[in-house]
Amino acid sequence: MMWEEKRLDELGEIGRGKSRHRPRNDARLYGGEFPFVQTSEIQNANFRITEFKTTYSSFGLAQSKLWPSGTLCISIVGANTAATAILGFDACFPDSVIGFNGYQGVANNYFIKYLLDTRREEFYRISQGTARENLSMEKLLSMPLKVPPFLIQQKIASILSTYDDLIENNLKRIQLLEEAAQNLYLEWFVQFRFPATEAGPGYEDAEFVDGLPKGWERKNLIHLCKTISSGGTPSRNKPTYWNSPDFEWIRTKELQDDFIHLAEEYISREGLENSSAKLFPVGTIVMAIYASPTLGRMGILTRDACFNQASVGFIVDEKFISNEFLYYKLLEERINLNNKAIGAAQQNINVQKVKDHDVLLPDKALIDKFTLWVKPLFEQRRKLGEQNLKLKEARDILLPRLMNQTIEV
């Protein structure tokens, strides 16, 4: 069947989000029941937007517009330009976002999202030329899209969304596993409702001194780890140091409080051996120590890898603690560590201050019991993350082939 070139406004209703009130930070706008989605949440969504950080009040809604669940959202400014996602709930969004809803029987929102994703680099290119990227409505409509009949759109969308549905189900399972592990940590080591072990009684019978279980002690992080060390960066002026698939090189934006499954950059063995870069083993906990918004964010290496000096790596000494325990201990201490950041232009946490930071440590038997419970949850999270990586790779191979009609449906 013939594919025809159409502008988005020929395929459905399209318009910019609304946030007319000034100043934009007026407290009266926020804190109500209406979700307010911004460009970062479009960028961070896998396929559907399922989370939001900000809400509008009735006053905020009155100067905006409530878009229905299922709307295709297109970010049109900044680093997130041309990112797309489907609204998973009714929501407002600002004028930095364009909303699209296909006409009945003319355009399928899922299909249009996938089609736009194959053209993202083109849209990003035409948005450049000013101090900040800006994909105006005029520019967006200036590039017609080649679309098939509605029935074919539905078939293609169904094939591709099967992968995204599986990915989103896995993400929900990962979140549940994370919540279970974190809740156990909080119950045992923050609320002190810990069970008995062969080394001592549970919280009902334990002796407390100054509000803390007797025998628990504070120790510097460096005493609990074999290594606490920042990374390093090979010279960008040496092309042979880069783009060789010898070693993954992790940047702070890839730290998402989760396992790190994929790096965007690589360095060569030559680059590793002739620079301050270091190779860290599988299981290393990586923490960002430079600059908001990533300051304090963490990740766990799933392969041997390197990272830059904006992060620090923790390799535990298993005589004292486990990787799983240290990960949640660092999450608990994140605010305290971030408060040690210095610098006006770019805040950073001094590595020595990280090493000298002291944490409350229970007896080893309780840590071992916690690890026994949590390690299988960690392993399930890791495997689900690896599954998602493979699903994304399969979807991304299939996507352009369906859109350029290499594969018939």
Side-chain angles (χ1 to χ4, degrees):
M1 291 187 180
M2 292 293 294
W3 290 46
E4 297 180 326
E5 285 197 343
K6 299 280 188 181
R7 295 193 317 270
L8 272 176
D9 58 350
E10 296 176 305
L11 296 167
E13 295 181 357
I14 185 169
R16 292 180 69 164
K18 295 180 181 179
S19 50
R20 293 187 293 261
H21 185 79
R22 298 295 182 273
R24 291 179 187 263
N25 63 352
D26 189 331
R28 292 177 297 168
L29 295 170
Y30 304 103
E33 61 180 295
F34 305 102
F36 180 62
V37 169
Q38 302 183 69
T39 58
S40 60
E41 285 147 341
I42 297 173
Q43 175 67 29
N44 293 333
N46 170 64
F47 179 72
R48 294 178 186 85
I49 301 169
T50 59
E51 298 179 346
F52 54 91
K53 297 177 182 176
T54 307
T55 59
Y56 263 160
S57 63
S58 295
F59 181 78
L61 177 63
Q63 56 84 59
S64 186
K65 174 182 176 179
L66 193 65
W67 296 77
S69 177
T71 296
L72 170 59
C73 299
I74 308 163
S75 174
I76 59 171
V77 297
N80 297 330
T81 295
T84 66
I86 301 291
L87 266 183
F89 40 80
D90 295 352
C92 301
F93 45 76
D95 52 12
S96 55
V97 177
I98 284 176
F100 172 86
N101 283 294
Y103 294 134
Q104 185 70 31
V106 176
N108 178 285
N109 280 16
Y110 289 11
F111 173 85
I112 299 300
K113 181 219 175 324
Y114 288 122
L115 183 56
L116 291 176
D117 288 347
T118 66
R119 305 280 297 275
R120 183 173 181 183
E121 288 187 11
E122 296 174 63
F123 285 118
Y124 189 81
R125 268 199 307 275
I126 67 170
S127 73
Q128 295 176 323
T130 59
R132 189 184 188 200
E133 296 86 354
N134 190 328
L135 180 62
S136 66
M137 181 79 76
E138 182 181 7
K139 290 177 181 178
L140 187 61
L141 297 179
S142 72
M143 295 180 65
L145 304 172
K146 201 168 185 179
V147 297
F150 185 69
L151 182 60
I152 301 300
Q153 293 181 42
Q154 288 181 305
K155 288 182 178 179
I156 291 175
S158 177
I159 292 168
L160 294 171
S161 63
T162 297
Y163 290 90
D164 280 307
D165 287 343
L166 289 170
I167 290 168
E168 289 191 346
N169 285 336
N170 282 347
L171 289 173
K172 290 176 184 175
R173 292 172 64 190
I174 288 170
Q175 185 176 2
L176 290 172
L177 290 166
E178 165 61 10
E179 289 173 357
Q182 193 163 140
N183 287 341
L184 187 66
Y185 176 88
L186 292 172
E187 183 174 2
W188 288 15
F189 304 113
V190 177
Q191 299 167 1
F192 302 132
R193 296 173 62 87
F194 49 86
T197 68
E198 64 273 16
Y203 74 95
E204 301 99 330
D205 302 313
E207 184 179 348
F208 284 74
V209 179
D210 295 329
L212 298 177
K214 185 176 181 180
W216 291 30
E217 56 184 340
R218 291 193 171 275
K219 286 192 176 182
N220 289 160
L221 283 171
I222 191 60
H223 295 144
L224 307 176
C225 296
K226 294 177 181 176
T227 299
I228 298 178
S229 175
S230 60
T233 305
S235 172
R236 291 285 186 177
N237 296 323
K238 298 280 189 179
T240 56
Y241 289 1
W242 294 90
N243 303 319
S244 170
D246 292 342
F247 304 106
E248 294 187 15
W249 193 73
I250 309 297
R251 292 177 292 177
T252 54
K253 73 174 188 176
E254 290 150 347
L255 305 180
Q256 299 291 334
D257 290 346
D258 200 355
F259 288 94
I260 304 167
H261 296 287
L262 183 66
E264 293 184 7
E265 287 195 279
Y266 293 81
I267 64 172
S268 66
R269 183 173 293 280
E270 181 187 2
L272 173 64
E273 293 175 350
N274 292 280
S275 72
S276 59
K278 307 175 185 71
L279 186 63
F280 291 82
V282 172
T284 298
I285 298 172
V286 186
M287 174 183 281
I289 57 171
Y290 274 74
S292 178
T294 58
L295 187 69
R297 197 177 292 169
M298 297 196 298
I300 303 172
L301 296 184
T302 56
R303 289 172 291 279
D304 294 354
C306 308
F307 45 82
N308 67 14
Q309 61 273 19
S311 297
V312 63
F314 300 82
I315 302 174
V316 301
D317 188 334
E318 294 182 351
K319 295 195 302 289
F320 302 113
I321 57 173
S322 67
N323 226 38
E324 293 79 9
F325 177 82
L326 179 60
Y327 179 81
Y328 287 107
K329 177 57 69 176
L330 290 173
L331 278 181
E332 179 193 354
E333 294 292 326
R334 175 148 55 194
I335 293 176
N336 293 329
L337 284 165
N338 286 1
N339 285 340
K340 295 185 177 183
I342 57 173
Q346 187 180 55
Q347 286 203 314
N348 68 89
I349 309 171
N350 182 277
V351 176
Q352 190 58 50
K353 287 187 176 181
V354 175
K355 293 178 179 180
D356 293 340
H357 186 77
D358 65 344
V359 296
L360 184 63
L361 201 67
D363 63 73
K364 182 63 162 54
L366 190 57
I367 292 175
D368 289 345
K369 192 162 191 171
F370 173 77
T371 304
L372 188 66
W373 277 94
V374 170
K375 190 179 283 290
L377 305 184
F378 261 53
E379 183 61 14
Q380 288 180 61
R381 280 179 62 191
R382 185 192 65 78
K383 288 181 177 178
L384 288 169
E386 293 289 349
Q387 283 180 24
N388 275 357
L389 187 61
K390 292 176 182 177
L391 287 166
K392 288 177 183 178
E393 288 173 349
R395 178 202 62 197
D396 292 346
I397 290 171
L398 195 56
L399 175 57
R401 295 178 181 178
L402 287 167
M403 294 302 176
N404 64 23
Q405 303 175 67
T406 303
I407 299 175
E408 295 289 340
V409 293

